[in-house]
Amino acid sequence: MKRILMLEDDITFSVMLRTWLGKRGFSVDCASTVAEAKRCMTDGAYDIVLSDLRLPDEDGIVLLAWMKGQGIDVPFVVMTSYAEVQSAVNSMKLGAFDFIAKPINPEELHNKIKEALAQKKTQQRRISQNQVATFADYMPGRSEASQKLHEYIRLVAPTAMSVLLSGEPGSGKGVVARQIHIESGRREGFVVVDCATLSQENAASELFGNEGKEGFFRQAAGGTLFLQGLENLPENVRALLTQTLRDGVVRPLDKEEFPMDVRLIASTSLDTAELSSLGELYHLVNEFSICVPSLRERKGDILLYADHFVNEANEEMGKDVVGFDKEAIAALLDYAWPGNMRELRNVIKRVVLLSKSPFVSVTLLPTEMLNSRFAVNEEEDGLALRDANSEKRKIMKALKDCNNNKSQAAAMLQIDRKTLYNKLRSLGIL
């Protein structure tokens, strides 16, 4: 049964419409204010939102902007009077699916709901490979590294401490951040900010707000603000963020300041030595640090996650793959997984799509998994190269390709970060 959230302050009208939609197979929850609607969406998932524009506390467009900040991709239909049609059109520019003018014709509304749900289903089937995807809901894992990670989450979640998540790209820092929020008990939402997408000119107003913009700190009030890729934050904003965290007060541009009521989590792919260049900001966001382990460090969980992704891919593509043959299992366990969880998920989706039998054959796995970039010998580090000069050239090239990001270079070389540092010292690079 599809769930609808209806935001309407005319109680008589909302009850009438809820009854009408209920008879057509929908489950409808009603809210009369934007604040109440936010609580409903934090507590449960909906398939579509119907919203009036004029509400007692804020405009319905404020809820639409909040949903976008939360990453809630749900069709939003505006219900408005003829006098407010231009405002409804403006809301569509902000991402609303459509609008319907009052007095509402129930059959017309029913058709719009069906159109919105059909379009959403089509979009879900066309997920772009360019989008950043998390590796599904949080799974604790059984390996020692995963259990340690789970214990850290359990300990820090109920506190108000700022958390800095480090780890290789694709290791699941975003999933860990969301799980900390879930276990924190904070009532409001989880706002994700990709620092790499903030422009030099607008970053301050995007974060802190101004006269015409609410700002991410305000949107996350009572909840969690997740700054993804802290190292990408424009330099002109770092001082403002430092002052905000130090004082506990948010100072919007051209607006009145207000107390900061957010749980801050930040993530990075940089090493501690490189992050120290952020100065006081680094220490303010690093009240508690968690290094999310790479997939290599939780080898015992690879098959657990692989099975989960098989089930996920089966459901998405209508397949019936059961698992992997013995050779494929060996290849999954032997591979270094430089792209971590994200790479594992993508590989599993590909082989499930290609598989014509219940068990995935090793021949369906990508060639890079079967032909390792570096020959592995009996050395623990796995970097068996013919001579020191060749080894040095390969390491220098990896560092150059990764813009001197040692975590990413180590992943590219299929070794851990500690081994890379040892190599850098022994070769006189560090």
Side-chain angles (χ1 to χ4, degrees):
M1 180 180 289
K2 298 298 184 182
R3 296 188 67 200
I4 297 175
L5 175 62
M6 182 163 55
L7 181 54
E8 169 63 63
D9 62 337
D10 185 335
I11 305 301
T12 302
F13 173 75
S14 64
V15 170
M16 180 273 294
L17 202 54
R18 179 175 63 183
T19 303
W20 192 89
L21 290 169
K23 290 179 180 179
R24 280 147 187 81
F26 295 98
S27 172
V28 183
D29 290 340
C30 296
S32 58
T33 65
V34 170
E36 187 180 354
K38 287 180 180 180
R39 287 194 292 271
C40 290
M41 300 193 76
T42 302
D43 294 337
Y46 293 89
D47 298 291
I48 191 168
V49 175
L50 309 177
S51 177
D52 195 1
L53 271 183
R54 302 300 176 192
L55 296 155
D57 55 346
E58 294 179 284
D59 286 350
I61 292 178
V62 172
L63 178 64
L64 175 60
W66 176 83
M67 288 168 59
K68 291 179 66 177
Q70 299 290 308
I72 301 174
D73 188 15
V74 175
F76 192 98
V77 176
V78 174
M79 303 182 296
T80 185
S81 66
Y82 282 109
E84 297 173 327
V85 166
Q86 185 57 53
S87 296
V89 172
N90 291 338
S91 73
M92 291 180 66
K93 294 178 182 179
L94 294 173
F97 170 77
D98 205 347
F99 72 92
I100 183 168
K102 294 180 178 179
I104 287 175
N105 181 322
E107 289 295 343
E108 182 183 357
L109 176 61
H110 190 204
N111 289 334
K112 287 189 183 294
I113 291 172
K114 290 190 291 185
E115 290 171 7
L117 294 174
Q119 185 184 90
K120 179 62 178 175
K121 189 173 182 180
T122 301
Q123 289 174 343
Q124 288 174 336
R125 290 174 178 169
R126 298 176 180 172
I127 298 175
S128 169
Q129 292 183 350
N130 294 325
Q131 289 179 319
V132 177
T134 56
F135 62 84
D137 294 336
Y138 173 74
M139 297 172 62
R142 303 190 188 103
S143 67
E144 184 178 346
S146 290
Q147 289 297 311
K148 184 177 181 180
L149 171 64
H150 182 60
E151 178 66 9
Y152 282 158
I153 293 172
R154 187 189 67 80
L155 287 171
V156 77
T159 74
M161 298 172 72
S162 297
V163 181
L164 180 64
L165 302 174
S166 61
E168 296 175 7
S171 56
K173 295 184 288 294
V175 176
V176 171
R178 185 177 291 275
Q179 188 63 24
I180 291 173
H181 168 70
I182 290 171
E183 297 192 23
S184 72
R186 295 186 73 85
R187 292 177 57 86
E188 298 301 327
F190 181 76
V191 177
V192 181
V193 179
D194 184 352
C195 295
T197 65
L198 297 176
S199 66
Q200 193 82 9
E201 298 77 20
N202 300 323
S205 60
E206 290 282 347
L207 271 179
F208 307 110
N210 59 25
E211 197 60 42
K213 188 182 293 290
E214 190 176 34
F216 292 122
F217 269 95
R218 175 67 81 179
Q219 291 177 18
T224 301
L225 179 63
F226 177 40
L227 299 179
Q228 204 170 35
L230 183 66
E231 65 273 15
N232 298 314
L233 195 67
E235 291 188 15
N236 65 316
V237 181
R238 292 177 185 173
L240 295 174
L241 181 57
T242 298
Q243 185 178 10
T244 298
L245 299 179
R246 186 199 305 128
D247 300 343
V249 175
V250 181
R251 297 179 175 87
L253 310 180
D254 303 324
K255 292 179 72 175
E256 188 176 340
E257 65 182 38
F258 58 90
M260 189 183 87
D261 179 25
V262 300
R263 168 68 169 284
L264 184 71
I265 303 177
S267 73
T268 180
S269 296
L270 298 183
D271 298 319
T272 302
E274 295 165 314
L275 272 172
S276 61
S277 63
L278 296 177
E280 186 181 359
L281 177 59
Y282 165 68
H283 297 290
L284 288 168
V285 300
N286 190 31
E287 290 184 322
F288 190 85
S289 62
I290 298 178
C291 181
V292 180
S294 66
L295 198 51
R296 296 184 303 281
E297 295 173 281
R298 32 182 164 170
K299 187 174 180 179
D301 296 326
I302 290 176
L303 296 182
L304 172 70
Y305 292 126
D307 285 341
H308 175 78
F309 295 147
V310 166
N311 294 333
E312 185 183 82
N314 279 337
E315 184 176 347
E316 182 180 328
M317 295 182 273
K319 303 278 286 188
D320 294 302
V321 173
V322 176
F324 308 86
D325 65 21
K326 290 184 178 179
E327 287 184 296
I329 289 174
L332 290 174
L333 294 175
D334 289 342
Y335 186 53
W337 298 108
N340 292 293
M341 290 290 189
R342 190 177 296 129
E343 182 182 13
L344 175 62
R345 182 178 185 271
N346 291 340
V347 167
I348 298 304
K349 286 184 69 175
R350 177 182 182 273
V351 298
V352 167
L353 176 64
L354 295 175
S355 184
K356 296 179 180 179
S357 67
F359 292 92
V360 174
S361 167
V362 70
T363 60
L364 296 180
L365 295 175
T367 54
E368 61 265 25
M369 291 184 61
L370 307 178
N371 304 308
S372 184
R373 183 173 179 178
F374 296 102
V376 178
N377 65 6
E378 295 179 355
E379 288 183 298
E380 236 179 82
D381 58 62
L383 238 179
L385 302 170
R386 292 182 180 179
D387 54 65
N389 288 333
S390 176
E391 184 177 39
K392 185 173 182 177
R393 284 196 300 272
K394 288 184 181 293
I395 291 176
M396 293 297 289
K397 184 179 185 306
L399 288 170
K400 182 179 179 181
D401 291 344
C402 297
N403 294 320
N404 207 39
N405 185 316
K406 295 178 181 61
S407 295
Q408 293 182 22
M412 182 179 290
L413 295 167
Q414 299 186 13
I415 58 176
D416 59 40
R417 197 163 56 188
K418 182 178 179 181
T419 300
L420 176 59
Y421 272 104
N422 290 337
K423 287 288 182 183
L424 292 174
R425 292 190 185 94
S426 66
L427 295 171
I429 301 174
L430 192 62

